[in-house]
Amino acid sequence: QVQLVESGGGSVQAGGSLRLSCAASRYTISSNCMGWFRQVPGQEREGLALIDNGGGTTFYADSVKGRFTISQDNAKNTVYLQMRSLKPEDTAMYYCASRNGYYCLGLNGRYFDYWGQGTQVTVSS
């Protein structure tokens, strides 16, 4: 059974940084599409970033481009989301997700097959 376990969330002041981690079990991240999403209660889930391991490319939502960086450590089978210049509107539950296969179809949650349990990020002004 595939497991994705996020960690690294917490509380930070505006302008600060956090790095989220997503450790995968029984799943090889380098052979699949990996992504990060977030959701605020009562709002739609938002796709933030993905790694397309087929093309070796990354893609970001406009809302986080230039502030967030997705990366992976294949030896640790872990995906990261480095978040800088955090804003109060970045407050949300953050989720790691994966799609079977090397290639990503886009930053829509319906394209992803497995999800972690989430880690909360709270940014205060």
Side-chain angles (χ1 to χ4, degrees), residues 54-75:
T57 58
T58 57
F59 181 80
Y60 297 91
D62 288 343
S63 59
V64 303
K65 196 176 298 181
R67 299 189 300 123
F68 291 10
T69 303
I70 189 171
S71 63
Q72 64 188 38
D73 184 330
N74 294 335

Side-chain angles (χ1 to χ4, degrees), residues 2 10 14 26 34 41 45 58 64 73 93 96-97 100:
V2 174
R26 292 179 282 278
M34 303 299 298
R45 182 172 51 200
T58 57
V64 303
D73 184 330
M93 185 71 79
C96 173
N100 286 328

Side-chain angles (χ1 to χ4, degrees), residues 62 72 74 77 82 93 106 110 117 120:
D62 288 343
Q72 64 188 38
N74 294 335
N77 211 33
Q82 177 69 53
M93 185 71 79
R110 69 177 185 263
Q117 83 291 348
Q120 177 69 36

Side-chain angles (χ1 to χ4, degrees), residues 9-114:
S11 297
V12 64
Q13 288 193 325
S17 300
L18 282 174
R19 188 178 78 158
L20 306 183
S21 300
C22 171
S25 300
R26 292 179 282 278
Y27 198 77
T28 302
I29 63 169
S30 60
S31 298
N32 296 283
C33 166
M34 303 299 298
W36 284 97
F37 292 77
R38 68 185 178 191
Q39 190 166 24
V40 175
Q43 297 184 18
E44 289 190 2
R45 182 172 51 200
E46 179 185 12
L48 303 176
L50 58 80
I51 290 180
D52 183 314
N53 279 297
T57 58
T58 57
F59 181 80
Y60 297 91
D62 288 343
S63 59
V64 303
K65 196 176 298 181
R67 299 189 300 123
F68 291 10
T69 303
I70 189 171
S71 63
Q72 64 188 38
D73 184 330
N74 294 335
K76 295 182 178 180
N77 211 33
T78 299
V79 181
Y80 302 99
L81 185 69
Q82 177 69 53
M83 306 186 294
R84 298 181 176 87
S85 301
L86 285 162
K87 306 173 183 179
E89 51 264 44
D90 293 318
T91 295
M93 185 71 79
Y94 283 69
Y95 298 91
C96 173
S98 65
R99 170 184 167 79
N100 286 328
Y102 282 102
Y103 296 96
C104 299
L105 296 184
L107 269 176
N108 189 307
R110 69 177 185 263
Y111 297 142
F112 287 77
D113 300 300
Y114 303 104

